[in-house]
Amino acid sequence: MFGKPRPLETEEEMYDVAVRALMRRAHSVHEMKQKLERRSDNKLLVQVVMARLKENGMIDDARYAKQFTRQRTEGRKQGKLRVARDLRARGVPDRHIDAALKESAKQNDESAMVRQRIERKLRSYRGEIDEKKMASIYSSLLRAGFSADVVRGELKALTKEEVPDAEVETE
């Protein structure tokens, strides 16, 4: 349906394409470089435009990682493992990923997010919560990027609340 976009030949054309792409959504340095390299065979021109974007503060991996992490943890309620994997796939260096995740960990409680997701899942289930449903919840939380230890701990705490033990703990 769409043909291949015409190759870009001047710095201005390439810069305009980059700015329009950044207006649609934020891009990592790696993503933008790939996008520009697909549109031009001139590697030097790509480097010049990338340097200009960085100089103007339009593209910055550290800021991108923080924004992406905040959006994914607060908006989509995803865990740090998933966010880190997605950022690596977008070519963001590990130092920026680690810094963004540390900053996010100060503001968001992973256990609370896991609890919220479990409670939301349990509301959607009808009938008893059997092992198959628990396994489904567990695997969906792992896919969402939460650590297995946190997920297990929250599921264990939840099942103890729902099924009271015969013994009563005294402290």
Side-chain angles (χ1 to χ4, degrees):
M1 180 174 194
F2 293 109
K4 187 177 181 200
R6 71 178 181 80
L8 303 172
E9 295 168 8
T10 68
E11 181 183 340
E12 277 310 307
E13 285 179 327
M14 191 173 289
Y15 187 78
D16 288 344
V17 165
V19 169
R20 280 197 307 273
L22 288 168
M23 287 192 306
R24 285 190 294 276
R25 76 167 179 87
H27 288 70
S28 69
V29 173
H30 179 75
E31 286 177 310
M32 183 56 69
K33 189 173 180 184
Q34 282 184 322
K35 183 180 242 10
L36 295 177
E37 285 176 346
R38 282 194 300 267
R39 297 287 305 267
S40 175
D41 294 330
N42 187 343
K43 302 282 186 210
L44 181 63
L45 189 60
V46 170
Q47 288 177 345
V48 168
V49 171
M50 289 298 295
R52 188 171 160 194
L53 289 169
K54 287 178 188 175
E55 185 180 305
N56 293 341
M58 299 180 98
I59 197 160
D60 177 22
D61 274 345
R63 187 179 65 226
Y64 176 75
K66 287 177 187 171
Q67 175 190 355
F68 186 90
T69 302
R70 186 177 57 251
Q71 189 253 335
R72 292 293 178 101
T73 54
E74 294 172 10
R76 295 187 184 186
K77 304 285 188 225
Q78 291 180 339
K80 61 183 178 184
L81 300 173
R82 171 79 180 265
V83 173
R85 185 185 73 207
D86 290 350
L87 282 169
R88 278 189 195 95
R90 292 167 186 259
V92 178
D94 284 341
R95 67 181 186 277
H96 297 310
I97 295 171
D98 294 340
L101 289 174
K102 281 179 187 166
E103 187 176 307
S104 174
K106 291 176 189 171
Q107 297 168 354
N108 298 312
D109 180 22
E110 190 175 27
S111 307
M113 289 191 336
V114 169
R115 248 189 321 273
Q116 286 175 339
R117 287 182 74 122
I118 292 171
E119 288 166 3
R120 194 172 67 224
K121 277 270 197 211
L122 290 176
R123 281 196 298 271
S124 69
Y125 287 146
R126 290 184 181 82
E128 282 206 28
I129 308 299
D130 57 3
E131 283 187 29
K132 189 175 180 183
K133 289 179 181 173
M134 288 302 262
S136 169
I137 293 172
Y138 180 76
S139 63
S140 75
L141 288 167
L142 290 181
R143 279 192 307 275
F146 297 103
S147 68
D149 294 338
V150 173
V151 171
R152 258 187 294 208
E154 292 301 321
L155 281 173
K156 203 174 282 185
L158 191 83
T159 53
K160 284 183 182 174
E161 287 175 18
E162 288 197 358
V163 184
D165 288 332
E167 316 174 10
V168 178
E169 290 184 18
T170 56
E171 289 188 38

